[in-house]
CSV table of all heavy atoms in Angstrom, one decimal:
chain,number,residue,atom,x,y,z
A,568,MET,N,-38.1,-122.1,39.3
A,568,MET,CA,-38.1,-123.3,40.2
A,568,MET,C,-36.7,-123.9,40.2
A,568,MET,O,-36.2,-124.2,41.3
A,568,MET,CB,-39.1,-124.4,39.7
A,568,MET,CG,-39.2,-125.6,40.6
A,568,MET,SD,-40.5,-126.7,40.2
A,568,MET,CE,-39.9,-127.3,38.6
A,569,LEU,N,-36.0,-124.0,39.1
A,569,LEU,CA,-34.6,-124.5,39.0
A,569,LEU,C,-33.6,-123.6,39.6
A,569,LEU,O,-32.6,-124.0,40.2
A,569,LEU,CB,-34.3,-124.9,37.6
A,569,LEU,CG,-35.0,-126.1,37.0
A,569,LEU,CD1,-34.6,-126.3,35.6
A,569,LEU,CD2,-34.6,-127.4,37.8
A,570,SER,N,-33.8,-122.3,39.5
A,570,SER,CA,-32.9,-121.3,40.1
A,570,SER,C,-33.0,-121.3,41.6
A,570,SER,O,-32.0,-121.4,42.3
A,570,SER,CB,-33.2,-119.9,39.6
A,570,SER,OG,-33.0,-119.8,38.2
A,571,PHE,N,-34.2,-121.3,42.2
A,571,PHE,CA,-34.4,-121.4,43.6
A,571,PHE,C,-34.0,-122.8,44.1
A,571,PHE,O,-33.5,-123.0,45.2
A,571,PHE,CB,-35.8,-121.0,44.0
A,571,PHE,CG,-36.0,-119.5,44.1
A,571,PHE,CD1,-36.4,-118.8,43.0
A,571,PHE,CD2,-35.9,-118.8,45.3
A,571,PHE,CE1,-36.6,-117.4,43.0
A,571,PHE,CE2,-36.1,-117.4,45.3
A,571,PHE,CZ,-36.4,-116.7,44.2
A,572,GLY,N,-34.4,-123.8,43.3
A,572,GLY,CA,-34.2,-125.2,43.7
A,572,GLY,C,-32.7,-125.5,43.8
A,572,GLY,O,-32.3,-126.4,44.6
A,573,ALA,N,-31.8,-124.8,43.1
A,573,ALA,CA,-30.4,-125.0,43.3
A,573,ALA,C,-30.0,-124.8,44.7
A,573,ALA,O,-29.2,-125.6,45.3
A,573,ALA,CB,-29.6,-124.1,42.4
A,574,PHE,N,-30.5,-123.7,45.4
A,574,PHE,CA,-30.1,-123.4,46.8
A,574,PHE,C,-30.9,-124.4,47.7
A,574,PHE,O,-30.3,-124.8,48.7
A,574,PHE,CB,-30.5,-122.0,47.1
A,574,PHE,CG,-29.7,-121.0,46.2
A,574,PHE,CD1,-30.1,-120.6,45.0
A,574,PHE,CD2,-28.5,-120.5,46.6
A,574,PHE,CE1,-29.4,-119.7,44.2
A,574,PHE,CE2,-27.7,-119.7,45.9
A,574,PHE,CZ,-28.2,-119.3,44.6
A,575,ALA,N,-32.2,-124.7,47.4
A,575,ALA,CA,-32.9,-125.6,48.3
A,575,ALA,C,-32.3,-127.0,48.3
A,575,ALA,O,-32.2,-127.6,49.3
A,575,ALA,CB,-34.4,-125.6,47.8
A,576,ASN,N,-31.9,-127.5,47.1
A,576,ASN,CA,-31.3,-128.8,47.0
A,576,ASN,C,-30.0,-128.9,47.8
A,576,ASN,O,-29.8,-129.9,48.5
A,576,ASN,CB,-31.2,-129.1,45.5
A,576,ASN,CG,-30.6,-130.5,45.3
A,576,ASN,OD1,-29.4,-130.7,45.0
A,576,ASN,ND2,-31.5,-131.5,45.5
A,577,ALA,N,-29.2,-127.9,47.6
A,577,ALA,CA,-27.9,-127.9,48.3
A,577,ALA,C,-28.1,-127.7,49.8
A,577,ALA,O,-27.5,-128.4,50.6
A,577,ALA,CB,-27.0,-126.8,47.8
A,578,ALA,N,-29.0,-126.8,50.2
A,578,ALA,CA,-29.2,-126.6,51.7
A,578,ALA,C,-29.8,-127.8,52.3
A,578,ALA,O,-29.5,-128.1,53.5
A,578,ALA,CB,-30.2,-125.4,51.9
A,579,GLY,N,-30.6,-128.6,51.6
A,579,GLY,CA,-31.2,-129.8,52.2
A,579,GLY,C,-30.2,-130.9,52.5
A,579,GLY,O,-30.5,-131.9,53.2
A,580,MET,N,-28.9,-130.7,52.1
A,580,MET,CA,-27.9,-131.7,52.5
A,580,MET,C,-26.9,-131.2,53.5
A,580,MET,O,-25.9,-131.9,53.9
A,580,MET,CB,-27.1,-132.0,51.2
A,580,MET,CG,-27.9,-132.6,50.1
A,580,MET,SD,-26.9,-133.2,48.7
A,580,MET,CE,-28.2,-133.5,47.5
A,581,THR,N,-27.1,-130.0,54.1
A,581,THR,CA,-26.2,-129.4,55.1
A,581,THR,C,-26.7,-129.9,56.5
A,581,THR,O,-27.9,-130.2,56.7
A,581,THR,CB,-26.2,-127.9,55.0
A,581,THR,OG1,-27.6,-127.4,55.3
A,581,THR,CG2,-25.7,-127.4,53.7
A,582,ALA,N,-25.7,-130.0,57.4
A,582,ALA,CA,-26.0,-130.5,58.7
A,582,ALA,C,-27.0,-129.7,59.5
A,582,ALA,O,-27.9,-130.3,60.1
A,582,ALA,CB,-24.7,-130.6,59.5
A,583,PRO,N,-27.0,-128.3,59.5
A,583,PRO,CA,-28.0,-127.6,60.2
A,583,PRO,C,-29.4,-127.8,59.7
A,583,PRO,O,-30.3,-127.9,60.5
A,583,PRO,CB,-27.5,-126.1,60.0
A,583,PRO,CG,-26.1,-126.2,59.7
A,583,PRO,CD,-25.9,-127.4,58.9
A,584,VAL,N,-29.6,-127.9,58.4
A,584,VAL,CA,-30.9,-128.1,57.9
A,584,VAL,C,-31.4,-129.5,58.2
A,584,VAL,O,-32.6,-129.7,58.5
A,584,VAL,CB,-31.0,-127.8,56.4
A,584,VAL,CG1,-32.3,-128.2,55.8
A,584,VAL,CG2,-30.6,-126.3,56.1
A,585,LEU,N,-30.6,-130.5,58.1
A,585,LEU,CA,-30.9,-131.8,58.4
A,585,LEU,C,-31.3,-132.0,59.9
A,585,LEU,O,-32.3,-132.7,60.2
A,585,LEU,CB,-29.8,-132.8,58.1
A,585,LEU,CG,-29.5,-133.0,56.6
A,585,LEU,CD1,-28.2,-133.8,56.4
A,585,LEU,CD2,-30.7,-133.8,55.9
A,586,GLU,N,-30.6,-131.3,60.8
A,586,GLU,CA,-30.9,-131.4,62.2
A,586,GLU,C,-32.2,-130.6,62.5
A,586,GLU,O,-33.1,-131.1,63.2
A,586,GLU,CB,-29.8,-130.7,63.0
A,586,GLU,CG,-28.5,-131.5,62.9
A,586,GLU,CD,-27.3,-130.8,63.6
A,586,GLU,OE1,-27.6,-129.6,64.1
A,586,GLU,OE2,-26.2,-131.3,63.6
A,587,TRP,N,-32.4,-129.5,61.8
A,587,TRP,CA,-33.7,-128.8,62.0
A,587,TRP,C,-34.9,-129.6,61.5
A,587,TRP,O,-35.9,-129.6,62.1
A,587,TRP,CB,-33.6,-127.4,61.3
A,587,TRP,CG,-34.8,-126.6,61.4
A,587,TRP,CD1,-35.2,-125.8,62.5
A,587,TRP,CD2,-35.9,-126.5,60.5
A,587,TRP,NE1,-36.4,-125.2,62.3
A,587,TRP,CE2,-36.9,-125.6,61.0
A,587,TRP,CE3,-36.1,-127.0,59.2
A,587,TRP,CZ2,-38.0,-125.3,60.4
A,587,TRP,CZ3,-37.3,-126.7,58.6
A,587,TRP,CH2,-38.2,-125.8,59.1
Side-chain angles (χ1 to χ4, degrees):
M568 187 171 66
L569 287 174
S570 298
F571 280 86
F574 299 88
N576 182 256
M580 300 185 190
T581 59
V584 174
L585 289 170
E586 293 173 3
W587 180 81

